[in-house]
Every structure is written in C-alpha cells, then in structure tokens.
Amino acid sequence: MSDTVVVGLDVGGTSTRATALGLDGQRLGTGRAGGGNPTSHGAERAAAELLAALRQALVDVDPARVRAGTIGLAGAGRLLADPAGRDAFDRAWRDAGLRCPYAVHGDALVAYASGTASPDGTVVIAGTGAIAAGVRELRLDRVADGHGWLLGDAGSGFWLGREAVRRLLADLDRGHAPGRLATAVLAELLGCADVAARPRDTVDALVQAVTRRSPVELARLAPLVVAAAVDGEPVAAGLIDEAAAHLVESTARIRPVGDASPIVLGGGLLTGDTPLAAAVRVRVARQWPDAPLHSAGDGAAAAAWLAARDLPEVTDPAALHALLVPATA
Amino acid sequence: MSDTVVVGLDVGGTSTRATALGLDGQRLGTGRAGGGNPTSHGAERAAAELLAALRQALVDVDPARVRAGTIGLAGAGRLLADPAGRDAFDRAWRDAGLRCPYAVHGDALVAYASGTASPDGTVVIAGTGAIAAGVRELRLDRVADGHGWLLGDAGSGFWLGREAVRRLLADLDRGHAPGRLATAVLAELLGCADVAARPRDTVDALVQAVTRRSPVELARLAPLVVAAAVDGEPVAAGLIDEAAAHLVESTARIRPVGDASPIVLGGGLLTGDTPLAAAVRVRVARQWPDAPLHSAGDGAAAAAWLAARDLPEVTDPAALHALLVPATA
C-alpha cells in the first residue's frame, strides 16, 4: 500500500474543516476551526483558522508523507488574485509542515465533488445565498445566480426569510390574523407574537427590526420556514415550492434540456433530507428525468480527492472517489 | 370677497413647494426650495427649505392675512413625534411672519387631496417607493406596503430598476445577447454596453456597480424601463405590467371589492400619462369598475385646500376644491 497522504480543506463562513486521508481511504486525521472565508474574515484570520484545522488533522501524520492538498473556499478567485492573501495561505501551509503544493478551488466545485466523481455535471447550492454552476472536467464552467441578496440569491435562505416577512406584512396590511408561520416570524423578530391595536404599529416595528440589522440576516428566519413546512403549514410549504422553482429556473439557465449528467444538491438548505431538497428533486426529475441526483457530502474529503486525482499513482479517479469520499444519497 | 389667504406646502425629497391662495382661487404667490424631507435631510435643514419656499410665496402677501396653513410631508408622524423637529418647523413658520396655526399631514393624504375633494377614497403612490392608503374623512386610514425597498415597495421605481437589472443578469447567465432594455441598463451601469468575452465578468462588474451604491439608487434605472416600455420593448412592457399588478394587489389589501369611492394615482411613475398609470388604470377598472380614477395634481394647492376647509367662512369644501386645486385627468 502506498504511504502517500492527501489533505483536503473545506473553508466555510462558519467553520473550517480539514482531513488527512491515505489513498486506501484511511482517515488519518481531521481538524476543525472557526470560519475562514477570506472575503468576510480577511486573509490573515482565514489563514490562521486554516493552520489550526491543518495542525489538528496532522497530529498523527508525518507531514512529509503529504503529497498533495486542496483548499476549497468561497471567493477562491479573489484569494488567488490577491498576493497578500495568497502569501498568508502559503505561510499557513508551510507552518503546518507541508512541503507539497496545494490547489485552491471554489466551494461550489468542492460541494460538487463531494456528491459525485463524474467530471461533468451541475451543482445547485442553497444556503444563505444561492447559485447553480455547470462543471466540466472538474472545473466550474458557467454559473447562474450567486448575484447576492440585493439582485439575486433567488430561492436561498435570505430569500425564504425575506418572503416570510413579506407574507407577514401582507397579512397585517389586510388586517388578517397572522398564520402559523407569520406568528413564528413575528415572535422571532419582535420577541412577542401579539399584533398591536393598530396593526400598522406592528408593521412599522417589524420594518424597523429588520432594517436595523444587516439585510443578509434575514436568512436567519429560513429555519422557521423549513420547520413550518415540515409541519405542513401551507404558507411555508408554498414558499418552499416557490424557492425550489427559483433554484430550478436558475439551473435551467446553464443546463441544457435533456442533459443526463449528475446534479449535486449542496448548501445547508439542500444537503440531506430537507423540504427544499425534496421540492427541488421533484422539479429536477420533471425537467431532467435522466439525471442522477446526489446530495453534497464531506467537502474536506472531496477536496482531498481533488488533490489526489493528479498523483501519478492514481489511475482510476472514480474508484478512488468511492474510497475517499463517504457516499451520500 | 374674503380677504383671507391660505398657505399650502408640499415637502418632498427633492423639492419643497409653497403656494398662497385667496379663497376665490387667486394664486397670490408660489415658492420653491430644495428637498425638505425631515427624515432624510434632518429637521433643521427641512425647516430652512420650508422657510425659503414660504418667503417666496409670501413676497406679495401680508402674512397677517394668512388664516390657515397645511404642510404635507413624508414621515409626518415622525416629525410630530419629535419635539426638536416640531420646534424647528414652528420657528420657520414664525420667521416667515405667520401667526396662524398650521397642520401637518402625510404626503399620501396631500397627494390624495390633489386629485379629488371626496372625503373617502384611496390613494396609490409609486415613485421611488410604493404605498396604497385608504382615506376616510380626509384622514389616512389603512395603509398597504410602503414597507421600504428591502421588504416591500412592490411596483415602485426601486422595484422596476432592480427587476431590470435582474433580467439583464439572467440574460448574461443564459449566454443570451442582452435585449434593448438590458442593453440600456448595461450602458447606464457600466458606461459601455459591451459584454465581456466571459459574460460572468460582466455579471460581476454589474453586481459590484450596484452594490457600491445605496440600494435605493436602483430607482434611478426606472426611467429606462418607462422609456423602453413607451417604445414597445417587450421586457420593459412586461415589467410595467408586473409592477401594475403589484400596485393593484397592494391596493386590494385595503380596499373592499365593489368599493365605488375615487382612486387617486400619485407619485412620479403614476402622475399623468405614464405607461405604469395606463397599466394600473386597466387593472383598476377591472377590479373596481365603478371607481372614478384621478391623477394627483398640485400638492401645495391641495395642502392649502386642506387648511382652508376648516375655516368658518367655508361652507362648501367641494366647491372650494374646484376653485383652489387645478383639475387633473
């Protein structure tokens, strides 16, 4: 058996995860640190989290055995364009004792690779934001949406949260009693689910409560929509279905009719057995009936696989994927 | 003939207009000054513009003859709730030589009164933002939307501008050549209508150009949509129709089916013979076939009329409206 080790990192806004894998699939170490997105946290801070996660993953591994590594992160293009950011990452890599080169890929590609070994396909991601991307020969090709909360992110967590507030405001405008989802949103935003004697006072308080914070924090209401949809609340179920329609519409911008390549669903709202994933699966099956559908899985392991693929001893990347990346639905 | 003079002010975000009228309808003076919205400009600045407009309007009028006055402005409620703001306005009023009391009304009520003398009806306003309000005995009653650009203003200038950019981004995602409206938006935002060799570069540049500015500046793109719709451009025509649907949906939240009271259309996008006004008229006529439809007119004259109505010598407010407020369509 080869002595070779590969390292993969999945750098997200809230956590950084590292994994060290043998080419036989043995998990030699894992590490976890704080959010390390260089766009939101600064490259120095991101590099520090990267180093912390790497050191944990390499506690029982001789770094000289590590032959390849990949870092997956949002805003990868911006990091590579910024010499200071690249320097900070280079330093963290060396400080962890690593001497091999590393590649940097966007989080969308890593999410894709965590769901399938196929070099061509599509990834659809819905978390705080939303994006769909075509993958060709394991590189991001065309992209749809990902335009941010002001202009896009249709069907994202931000979108669900904003629409939930909009439905509540419409109820109040109409003088209707808020429904179940609207009541939950009201309680979350104002700390109390009572409507004022003049409903317009509650409207004003809600608008103020939302506009006091960063707009993107509306995404924090998305779990209320998901929970209400699981309970069968009709407004929430309608919003989930509308969000799914948006995500599939974005996907259709970049994915031809009849395409039979795999589709990977990623991001917090689409990974696993969520109502939004279920709604997207129904619409995808209608539009691309021959496409295998996968859920995104272990991003750090997928990053390690992306690193390993180019090693000379790797002759069957798909077989290696089966060994390295835990299977998902 | 009565020697009585009434004064009206229409305080908007971009200009402040004042008018001094005799009860026979004679226009004794007008004044115009800069934007005076106390919410956006601060009460001191707003009061200074108010004073400048008032002084112009009273150049040829003995202030002692002024027996009543009304100020119409956005955020009237906030002004009245703030003692410092109220003080600043009181001082401007006295500095103009006026000794009579004055009333403060919301700009929506003044827009309503500029279109009809009927004490009960509905006003629909679309400018930068959008709001619909019921009027009962010449007081604002229930209100729909006006929730601001993040959560509402559906069908407003902001909404039109944002949707125009979203259609452009969708064209670029799809790899389509931008249509006529999309090309105009591209040229306005980037100073050049060419799409980059990688369309995603143009997408990124557009998102950056928009997010560098205040979101509400998207409303500055609305005239492009209006102009394209006048030229019959199909995307623009579709957006105008969608905006009209939103405005009528907001109105229906507060206006019962079958209501035959008048509807006044106000705000820059609905005043006069605009495509959005035409689209709203079609939908309103379908939903409230018996409602007279009016366009908002001279807000300062309407404010003066609102002030005059309560004077003891005024016995027929509707007849006085015909004298004081220039008729609109």
Side-chain angles (χ1 to χ4, degrees):
Chain A
M1 196 66 237
S2 153
D3 196 45
T4 296
V5 176
V6 288
V7 159
L9 283 121
D10 189 15
V11 183
T14 51
S15 75
T16 297
R17 299 192 326 103
T19 194
L21 298 171
L23 289 190
D24 55 355
Q26 213 193 329
R27 186 166 295 245
L28 304 170
T30 61
R32 193 184 182 106
N37 184 321
T39 307
S40 46
H41 297 104
E44 288 294 338
R45 158 89 185 280
E49 302 291 354
L50 186 89
L51 178 56
L54 263 177
R55 280 189 167 143
Q56 280 177 46
L58 297 173
V59 160
D60 296 321
V61 179
D62 172 7
R65 287 174 59 199
V66 179
R67 299 262 313 284
T70 287
I71 302 172
L73 82 170
R78 261 179 301 246
L79 173 75
L80 297 176
D82 170 25
R86 184 81 204 204
D87 274 359
F89 274 57
D90 281 349
R91 240 178 297 122
W93 198 255
R94 281 196 308 271
D95 289 352
L98 297 170
R99 293 295 169 264
C100 65
Y102 66 94
V104 177
H105 287 299
D107 51 349
L109 181 71
V110 170
Y112 173 79
S114 76
T116 180
S118 168
D120 301 317
T122 304
V123 60
V124 186
I125 297 177
T128 301
I131 196 166
V135 174
R136 187 176 297 196
E137 295 176 6
L138 286 172
R139 299 244 153 218
L140 286 190
D141 184 33
R142 291 173 55 200
V143 175
D145 204 348
H147 300 145
W149 59 264
L150 179 57
L151 294 169
D153 287 350
S156 67
F158 168 82
W159 186 94
L160 283 173
R162 186 190 63 194
E163 292 305 306
V165 178
R166 292 188 60 218
R167 302 302 166 105
L168 165 60
L169 293 173
D171 281 347
L172 294 170
D173 283 353
R174 289 192 189 96
H176 292 179
R180 263 194 290 156
L181 173 62
T183 300
V185 170
L186 186 54
E188 174 69 22
L189 287 173
L190 299 186
C192 155
D194 297 337
V195 175
R198 275 185 70 228
R200 192 70 184 174
D201 292 338
T202 301
V203 167
D204 291 343
L206 284 166
V207 171
Q208 281 164 34
V210 169
T211 50
R212 252 199 309 270
R213 304 175 200 177
S214 166
V216 81
E217 292 199 30
L218 282 166
R220 289 163 58 175
L221 300 172
L224 298 180
V225 183
V226 171
V230 168
D231 284 353
E233 208 269 353
V235 175
L239 289 179
I240 292 287
D241 193 54
E242 244 187 272
H246 278 298
L247 293 169
V248 172
E249 191 276 323
S250 294
T251 307
R253 292 181 190 170
I254 51 143
R255 185 177 166 96
V257 175
D259 191 330
S261 68
I263 297 176
V264 176
L265 306 183
L269 288 165
L270 288 181
T271 304
D273 185 22
T274 68
L276 187 56
V280 167
R281 280 168 186 269
V282 167
R283 287 174 178 271
V284 162
R286 217 179 287 153
Q287 200 145 347
W288 296 284
D290 300 323
L293 256 162
H294 305 282
S295 186
D298 183 337
W305 173 69
L306 286 169
R309 283 177 73 252
D310 295 328
L311 293 174
E313 61 260 55
V314 172
T315 51
D316 185 346
L320 185 67
H321 191 275
L323 283 176
L324 261 52
V325 186
T328 55
Chain B
M1 196 68 237
S2 153
D3 196 43
T4 297
V5 175
V6 288
V7 161
L9 285 120
D10 190 15
V11 182
T14 51
S15 74
T16 298
R17 298 190 329 100
T19 193
L21 297 171
L23 289 189
D24 56 354
Q26 214 191 329
R27 187 167 295 246
L28 303 171
T30 60
R32 190 179 185 111
N37 184 322
T39 307
S40 44
H41 297 102
E44 288 293 337
R45 159 89 185 280
E49 302 291 354
L50 186 90
L51 178 57
L54 262 178
R55 280 188 166 144
Q56 281 175 46
L58 296 173
V59 160
D60 297 323
V61 178
D62 173 7
R65 287 173 60 198
V66 178
R67 297 262 312 286
T70 287
I71 302 172
L73 82 171
R78 262 179 300 244
L79 175 74
L80 297 177
D82 169 25
R86 184 81 203 205
D87 274 359
F89 273 58
D90 281 350
R91 239 178 299 122
W93 197 256
R94 281 196 309 271
D95 289 351
L98 297 171
R99 293 296 169 264
C100 65
Y102 66 93
V104 178
H105 288 299
D107 52 349
L109 182 72
V110 169
Y112 173 80
S114 76
T116 180
S118 168
D120 301 316
T122 304
V123 61
V124 186
I125 297 178
T128 301
I131 196 167
V135 174
R136 188 176 295 196
E137 296 177 6
L138 286 172
R139 299 245 155 217
L140 286 191
D141 185 31
R142 290 172 54 199
V143 175
D145 205 347
H147 300 147
W149 59 265
L150 180 57
L151 294 169
D153 287 352
S156 68
F158 168 81
W159 186 94
L160 283 173
R162 185 190 62 193
E163 292 305 306
V165 178
R166 292 189 60 217
R167 302 302 166 106
L168 165 59
L169 293 173
D171 282 348
L172 295 169
D173 282 353
R174 288 192 190 95
H176 292 179
R180 263 195 291 156
L181 172 62
T183 300
V185 170
L186 186 55
E188 173 70 22
L189 287 174
L190 299 187
C192 157
D194 296 336
V195 175
R198 276 185 68 229
R200 191 69 186 178
D201 292 339
T202 301
V203 166
D204 291 342
L206 284 166
V207 171
Q208 280 164 35
V210 169
T211 49
R212 252 199 310 271
R213 305 176 198 175
S214 165
V216 81
E217 291 199 32
L218 281 166
R220 289 163 58 174
L221 300 171
L224 298 181
V225 183
V226 171
V230 168
D231 283 354
E233 208 269 352
V235 175
L239 289 179
I240 292 287
D241 193 54
E242 244 187 272
H246 277 299
L247 293 169
V248 171
E249 191 275 322
S250 294
T251 306
R253 292 181 190 170
I254 52 144
R255 185 178 166 96
V257 175
D259 192 329
S261 68
I263 296 175
V264 176
L265 305 182
L269 288 165
L270 288 181
T271 304
D273 185 22
T274 67
L276 187 55
V280 167
R281 281 168 187 271
V282 168
R283 287 175 178 271
V284 161
R286 219 179 285 153
Q287 199 146 346
W288 296 282
D290 301 323
L293 256 162
H294 305 282
S295 186
D298 183 337
W305 174 69
L306 285 169
R309 284 176 72 254
D310 294 329
L311 293 173
E313 61 260 55
V314 172
T315 51
D316 186 344
L320 185 67
H321 191 276
L323 283 175
L324 261 52
V325 186
T328 55

